[in-house]
Amino acid sequence: MTGESNERILVALDIGTSKVAAVIAAVREDGLEILGLGTHPSRGLKKGVVVNIESTAQAISAAVDEAQQMAGCRIHSAWVGIAGSHIYGLNSKGVVGIHGSEVSASDIERVLDSARAVPLPSNQRVLHTLEQDYLLDNQSGVRQPLGMCGVRLEARVHVVTCAMNAAQNIEKCVELCGIAVDGIVLEPLASAFAVLTEDEKELGVCLVDIGGGTSDIAIFSEGAIRHTAVIPIAGNQVTHDIAMMLRTPTADAEAIKIRYGCALSKMTRAEQIIKVPSVGDRPPRELSRQTLAEAIEPRYEELFAQIREELRRSGYEELLPGGVVLTGGTAKMEGAVELAEEVFQIPVRLGSPYGISGLLDVVQDPIYASSVGLLQYGRGRLAGDFDRAPLADPLPIDGFKSPSANTWLARLKRWIWDNL
Ligand SMILES: Nc1ncnc2c1ncn2[C@@H]1O[C@H](COP(=O)(O)OP(=O)(O)OP(=O)(O)O)[C@@H](O)[C@H]1O
Ligand SMILES: [Mg+2]
């Protein structure tokens, strides 16, 4: 898509459980410049999955309108994130004989086709086939086999699958707003593009994007993705715990959590007193910040314990010299990094999007990790620059209409939506 001055424009739509974020960026020679950001509270999702098409479409439309106004341009298509417990990741292999004496692009396509041919339940479909490395005859650890000589090519990949209807519902919501889908991207993969360094991915690192509805995990080692998982515990449960313990409305619990919350009670002092609104006409009460932290800590501990279990199951627990990187809104709570270090016993840091310019105050926030990562993923796909984006699926996502085929339809829907 191009803007007024013929510059290339990219758009990210992060349809999260707490908020929908639309981010518009211009592709510059030296990177991405963020031109516009729009956010709107999300009401139509539960644990990362669309449960109400109309309210989700309304939230998308509001976020897009705000971003368009800020950027001063109109958008027609977007890269869209997907998450939820319906996502599965598995490692797979494919083997082909090479046609000719050296590896061609079509040999690589054939070997990736063979690697992604995994038996799937009828309601699941392949979302990504992410290259790990290749084995060419006896040579292992080949990152880019194109042009190399050999007779037998083996590919190792990480295949990500998702529920067909979950992806279709996301596409439906976006198209209802008159926007074509450039591609649907696994959210933790997108977040990894935004917050992880190449060194961390090379060494071995675990990314955890802790949002409102789900905590999404992606493990990298030797520069490639090795394991993905989704844990259905995140910020909404923390808010719910506070609302229950304090018997205060959810909106107040959310505000108290963000303003005074701490995930490690020993970092707070009993003398720090906060005011808590009560339900109904009862007067507000006073509460020590330490008591609040004691209500928050068990939920973060439970989440980190489940992540540690997932690390064990993946077989990568001992192979993460790059440590754990937390991102997403729920990772911003004071004490979360410190508590995570106690549970994982490896270094943990808070990851914010980097490698972008424009509106930095706004988008250099862990809440926008997925949005910025979607833009970086899109840029890598457009440029065919797989050095910057070595993990991107180089093949079209099966079953999705290409943006060019449905852009006019999307624009028509947008016009109808705007003029309702
Ligand atoms: N400073 C903060 N401290 C603690 N929690 C916070 C803070 N800021 C935001 N949150 C929490 O982060 C969550 C929202 O994070 P985020 O925007 O990453 O989620 P999302 O992308 O909408 O959801 P999901 O990825 O699960 O679908 C909410 O639960 C919110 O309460
Ligand atoms: Mg999210």
Side-chain angles (χ1 to χ4, degrees), residues 14-21 42 45-49 83-84 187 209-216 233-239 254-255 257-259 261 300 327-334 365-370:
D14 173 12
I15 309 171
T17 310
S18 307
K19 51 97 188 47
V20 173
S42 175
L45 273 87
K46 212 166 182 189
K47 297 206 181 288
V49 175
E187 279 179 12
D209 184 335
I210 319 175
T214 60
S215 295
D216 308 328
I233 299 179
N236 287 355
Q237 272 103 328
V238 179
T239 305
E254 174 76 11
K257 175 181 89 170
I258 291 178
R259 185 135 183 230
Y300 273 83
T327 194
T330 298
K332 285 168 61 178
M333 180 171 291
E334 189 189 334
D365 182 325
I367 280 183
Y368 299 116
S370 289

Side-chain angles (χ1 to χ4, degrees), residues 284-365:
R285 291 154 293 152
E286 292 199 329
L287 175 84
S288 120
R289 192 170 173 239
Q290 200 164 49
T291 311
L292 176 68
E294 281 162 6
I296 294 172
E297 190 173 321
R299 190 61 82 174
Y300 273 83
E301 248 180 341
E302 182 196 3
L303 170 63
F304 293 146
Q306 287 206 19
I307 295 168
R308 192 183 51 205
E309 271 315 297
E310 193 60 47
L311 290 181
R312 279 193 189 142
R313 255 198 301 276
S314 75
Y316 280 90
E317 194 188 22
E318 306 295 331
L319 301 170
L320 302 172
V324 172
V325 177
L326 303 181
T327 194
T330 298
K332 285 168 61 178
M333 180 171 291
E334 189 189 334
V337 166
E338 290 79 0
L339 177 64
E341 276 188 337
E342 282 187 9
V343 175
F344 300 134
Q345 295 290 310
I346 51 175
V348 178
R349 74 171 177 92
L350 180 65
S352 299
Y354 76 100
I356 36 166
S357 60
L359 297 180
L360 284 189
D361 294 351
V362 189
V363 289
Q364 259 177 353
D365 182 325

